[in-house]
Amino acid sequence: MTLPTAPLRRARCAAVGVVNGTLAVLAHSSADGGLPDSGLVFSLVALLTWATTGFARRELTAGRMLVLIGGGQLAMHLMVSLAASRHEHDPSRMVASHVVATALAVIVLTVAERTVLALARAVASVLPSKLTPLPATAPLVVATPSRVPALIVFLDVLSWRGPPAEQV
């Protein structure tokens, strides 16, 4: 299955990472879990986004998306829990919140993945597949310098380099 060019693949996976990280933070905070400094939260979302772009070479099917999103939710929960100063929450509520966020993200992102890839394939089918080079109409002329004797070139070079004085 042919995938679109690298920038589109990276953009798709970056969108998956941003959505996954954002939903993980929202799920964690909605279950009364404490959040660390906002700079750290943004850094963790950026780290998750960077890690997600490693999957850009393959189409993100529902199974791959479930593993990717579920792993991201778990990683974000652990990192946010370790970094938060206040971490008192109901474990069942926290699990339910992350499971709902995972299910929502997998459904929405799988549909979005299929839609984007279908659209990219439709556009690629309309565009020309290969550009043909124009035929040459005249011989290629390249200017080359005339040959200069090596003796003249070496006489112009002055070098003071030699062995160190203590070795003489």
Side-chain angles (χ1 to χ4, degrees):
M1 205 172 290
T2 306
L3 289 178
T5 59
L8 181 59
R9 290 189 306 233
R10 289 189 191 105
R12 283 181 13 252
C13 287
V16 169
V18 168
V19 168
N20 191 10
T22 304
L23 282 178
V25 169
L26 291 175
H28 195 84
S29 64
S30 70
D32 293 333
L35 289 178
D37 181 28
S38 61
L40 181 61
V41 170
F42 286 127
S43 298
L44 289 174
V45 170
L47 182 65
L48 182 64
T49 301
W50 174 77
T52 305
T53 57
F55 293 88
R57 294 193 183 272
R58 297 189 174 163
E59 182 176 350
L60 297 176
T61 60
R64 288 180 184 145
M65 193 75 77
L66 180 63
V67 170
L68 189 62
I69 299 289
Q73 290 284 322
L74 180 63
M76 284 294 289
H77 171 75
L78 292 175
M79 289 297 165
V80 170
S81 296
L82 289 173
S85 58
R86 177 186 68 86
H87 195 258
E88 301 167 4
H89 62 272
D90 180 22
S92 62
R93 188 172 174 197
M94 183 65 70
V95 169
S97 179
H98 280 290
V99 167
V100 167
T102 300
L104 179 67
V106 167
I107 291 168
V108 169
L109 291 173
T110 302
V111 170
E113 172 87 359
R114 286 183 187 157
T115 304
V116 166
L117 289 179
L119 183 63
R121 287 183 183 115
V123 169
S125 70
V126 174
L127 296 175
S129 61
K130 188 188 277 186
L131 296 176
T132 56
L134 297 175
T137 57
L140 181 64
V141 178
V142 178
T144 56
S146 62
R147 295 184 180 241
V148 179
L151 182 62
I152 296 173
V153 172
F154 288 130
L155 289 178
D156 289 341
V157 176
L158 218 118
S159 174
W160 296 98
R161 187 168 171 98
E166 55 269 352
Q167 288 185 359
V168 177

